[in-house]
Amino acid sequence: MAPSGSRSIKRGCQRVLYWIPVLFIALIVAWSYYAFVLQLCIVIYLLVYHVIFIMFVWAYWQTIFTKPMNPLKEFHLSHSDKELLEREDRGESQQEILRRIAKDLPIYTRTNSGAIRFCDRCQLLKPDRCHHCSVCDKCILKMDHHCPWVNNCVGFSNYKFFMLFLAYSLLYCLFITATDLQYFIKFWTKGLPDTQAKFHILFLFFSASMFSVSLASLFIYHCWLVCKNRSTLEAVRAPVFRHGTDKNGFSLGFSKNFRQVFGDEVKYWPVPVFSSLGDGCSFPTCLVNLDPEQPSSPTGSNPPNKSAAEGRQFPSKPLRESQSRLLTSTPSWSESDSATDKDRKGASNPGMTIENEA
């Protein structure tokens, strides 16, 4: 058999295997529905149960079937740039080409060695917070992780859905545990009739309580990540900027961090519809490269009693319009530029140079 044919068969088998965890979760949920609805069958409980169940399944569906977003075409190398890059043998020469291309792109993060982040597989300059997924074989915008339980990459396009999936699945398990507890106690005190239902009640309580523990820890961890504006990958390995590693480089304060994932409109926060801010290719950051000619305040000292979120400035490159709402409490880019020019004219040491962002 031809090598290409064997590779396609292998990839087809892998695709089937990747769906096994999803099928397992689906079977567990289907059985829990049968055990709770048909065996317990308490009307008041059923009303609340179905609301939670619908939101849980909806969020899970969105997490599975929302395609991860890939970098825009402006981050891909043109045909001429690819040929130019292939002709260069030295790494430094290749980096010069990549720096020239990245000069007009909203890219602030670097590799650990300070080089431009470039994906050989996809032939593109990686936007900030973008990573290549070896399972999907694609570069994923704001990649958090590849989750086998949803057979999908969790990233910019579906991170809100993933958070809601964790929240509603945890609520689902806690509700089943709480409502099943009294019957679980009756099971051990011989208070239940000797029917098939008592075994469903027993295993329903055990499975729901065990899933509650694991889901609670995972949900709390991701809530912490949202508050800090970090992905799982960034929590493991902090992003590198030109001035060095900065684990809080994308943090804008709790409110703005939360709105970056869930959006500005409160009515959409609990609903599994896309409402995240931005396009996934550019993100507002705290000041990553201090201007040596620009004093931090008119008197040359830091302004007192300012919170970290309010006192931060942002890079001089303009952000995309979809991200500008996150910066409404800060001056506009034109105002910042004019203020910077005034500070430069009044600086006491005009001999120092300004380091431009590559």
Side-chain angles (χ1 to χ4, degrees), residues 219-240:
F219 179 64
I220 291 171
Y221 174 68
H222 278 277
C223 286
W224 177 79
L225 291 178
V226 170
C227 294
K228 297 292 185 180
N229 204 341
R230 298 177 198 168
S231 66
T232 300
L233 294 176
E234 290 166 353
V236 174
R237 186 172 58 192
V240 180

Side-chain angles (χ1 to χ4, degrees), residues 160-206:
K160 177 193 173 184
F161 305 148
F162 179 74
M163 287 294 298
L164 292 178
F165 159 62
L166 292 180
Y168 286 124
S169 58
L170 176 60
L171 186 60
Y172 179 79
C173 291
L174 290 175
F175 180 78
I176 289 178
T177 302
T179 53
D180 196 29
L181 179 60
Q182 57 180 319
Y183 302 100
F184 179 76
I185 295 174
K186 288 181 180 180
F187 174 85
W188 293 105
T189 58
K190 310 297 183 182
L192 281 180
D194 192 13
T195 62
Q196 185 182 3
K198 69 178 186 179
F199 295 103
H200 287 288
I201 291 172
L202 175 66
F203 289 111
L204 187 64
F205 180 84
F206 272 126

Side-chain angles (χ1 to χ4, degrees), residues 283-334:
F283 296 89
T285 64
C286 60
L287 188 62
V288 298
N289 206 359
L290 288 172
D291 186 341
E293 272 195 29
Q294 181 179 348
S296 55
S297 69
T299 59
S301 59
N302 292 326
N305 301 326
K306 278 202 171 186
S307 65
E310 293 296 326
R312 285 173 179 163
Q313 303 178 44
F314 299 92
S316 57
K317 287 186 182 179
L319 295 169
R320 302 174 193 275
E321 184 179 356
S322 54
Q323 281 287 0
S324 61
R325 284 179 291 172
L326 285 170
L327 305 178
T328 52
S329 62
T330 60
S332 65
W333 297 111
S334 58

Side-chain angles (χ1 to χ4, degrees), residues 46-320:
L46 290 181
L47 294 176
V48 180
Y49 171 85
H50 276 93
V51 173
I52 300 174
F53 179 80
I54 290 171
M55 298 304 291
F56 163 47
V57 173
W58 186 7
Y60 190 44
W61 178 277
Q62 289 284 71
T63 309
I64 294 173
F65 293 105
T66 299
K67 291 185 178 180
M69 289 180 63
N70 310 120
L72 299 175
K73 62 180 182 180
E74 61 190 294
F75 291 89
H76 291 257
L77 295 185
S78 64
H79 182 70
S80 58
D81 288 330
K82 288 181 183 178
E83 289 184 342
L84 188 61
L85 199 65
E86 289 172 358
R87 285 199 298 265
E88 294 292 343
D89 296 329
R90 295 186 301 112
E92 183 57 35
S93 300
Q94 292 178 339
Q95 275 297 307
E96 285 296 331
I97 297 172
L98 295 178
R99 277 194 286 267
R100 174 182 57 79
I101 301 171
K103 184 173 61 175
D104 299 323
L105 294 174
I107 296 175
Y108 298 101
T109 53
R110 301 289 187 266
T111 65
N112 288 330
S113 61
I116 300 293
R117 299 170 66 241
F118 178 73
C119 180
D120 290 317
R121 298 276 297 178
C122 301
Q123 288 292 293
L124 57 81
L125 276 71
K126 293 180 183 179
D128 293 344
R129 318 185 82 173
C130 174
H131 298 273
H132 186 90
C133 175
S134 59
V135 179
C136 299
D137 198 24
K138 295 178 181 177
C139 281
I140 308 299
L141 294 180
K142 196 189 175 184
M143 180 178 173
D144 189 87
H145 68 288
H146 186 94
C147 181
W149 300 109
V150 300
N151 190 28
N152 199 2
C153 257
V154 178
F156 175 76
S157 62
N158 63 349
Y159 188 65
K160 177 193 173 184
F161 305 148
F162 179 74
M163 287 294 298
L164 292 178
F165 159 62
L166 292 180
Y168 286 124
S169 58
L170 176 60
L171 186 60
Y172 179 79
C173 291
L174 290 175
F175 180 78
I176 289 178
T177 302
T179 53
D180 196 29
L181 179 60
Q182 57 180 319
Y183 302 100
F184 179 76
I185 295 174
K186 288 181 180 180
F187 174 85
W188 293 105
T189 58
K190 310 297 183 182
L192 281 180
D194 192 13
T195 62
Q196 185 182 3
K198 69 178 186 179
F199 295 103
H200 287 288
I201 291 172
L202 175 66
F203 289 111
L204 187 64
F205 180 84
F206 272 126
S207 58
S209 57
M210 287 189 296
F211 274 108
S212 296
V213 174
S214 58
L215 285 169
S217 59
L218 189 59
F219 179 64
I220 291 171
Y221 174 68
H222 278 277
C223 286
W224 177 79
L225 291 178
V226 170
C227 294
K228 297 292 185 180
N229 204 341
R230 298 177 198 168
S231 66
T232 300
L233 294 176
E234 290 166 353
V236 174
R237 186 172 58 192
V240 180
F241 297 88
R242 288 196 59 175
H243 75 291
T245 302
D246 188 352
K247 62 182 181 180
N248 295 316
F250 295 106
S251 182
L252 308 173
F254 170 75
S255 176
K256 291 179 181 179
N257 293 344
F258 182 86
R259 285 191 289 131
Q260 196 173 90
V261 175
F262 288 90
D264 287 327
E265 299 189 53
V266 179
K267 63 182 179 181
Y268 293 125
W269 289 356
V271 185
V273 296
F274 185 80
S275 59
S276 302
L277 299 182
D279 58 6
C281 287
S282 62
F283 296 89
T285 64
C286 60
L287 188 62
V288 298
N289 206 359
L290 288 172
D291 186 341
E293 272 195 29
Q294 181 179 348
S296 55
S297 69
T299 59
S301 59
N302 292 326
N305 301 326
K306 278 202 171 186
S307 65
E310 293 296 326
R312 285 173 179 163
Q313 303 178 44
F314 299 92
S316 57
K317 287 186 182 179
L319 295 169
R320 302 174 193 275

